[in-house]
Amino acid sequence: MKKIPMRKCVVTQEQFPKKDLLRIVLTPEGTVEIDETGRKNGRGAYISRKPETVSLAMKNRTLDRALKTKVDDAIYEMLGEYVK
């Protein structure tokens, strides 16, 4: 049986299979992007695909702390489109 990689959501602190989460990455160039492949270089943070999780992340600015940089509101809006 193949091992399923697990990752923790930075908002809810729950463990999920990696494929069930969205990865947001701070690239070496300093830009914040949504990583659909899960393989881009840089510091990554995983977030659940639930709409309430994305809104909670925006309210608490969770990605700012996880990526140790200021995350633009446009990224949160793009995340909202991924979870609908």
Side-chain angles (χ1 to χ4, degrees):
M1 192 163 111
K2 192 172 180 179
K3 183 179 174 186
I4 299 172
M6 301 292 281
R7 298 292 184 266
K8 187 186 282 192
C9 174
V10 296
V11 179
T12 62
Q13 302 299 313
E14 293 178 90
Q15 292 274 348
F16 293 99
K18 183 178 175 181
K19 65 179 178 148
D20 293 344
L21 298 170
L22 277 173
R23 183 172 187 251
I24 296 83
V25 64
L26 174 64
T27 63
E29 293 81 32
T31 61
V32 178
E33 302 172 3
I34 296 174
D35 182 8
E36 296 176 25
T37 64
R39 297 176 182 260
K40 287 187 180 179
N41 286 338
R43 183 179 188 88
Y46 291 89
I47 187 169
S48 174
R49 293 182 183 258
K50 299 175 186 171
E52 58 271 11
T53 304
V54 173
S55 62
L56 190 62
M58 186 174 188
K59 178 183 166 195
N60 296 337
R61 307 300 294 183
T62 308
L63 291 176
D64 290 13
R65 280 176 284 167
L67 297 175
K68 298 183 180 177
T69 190
K70 173 84 171 89
V71 177
D72 193 34
D73 288 337
I75 297 294
Y76 288 106
E77 291 171 14
M78 288 174 25
L79 281 174
E81 295 172 13
Y82 276 91
V83 297
K84 288 183 180 176

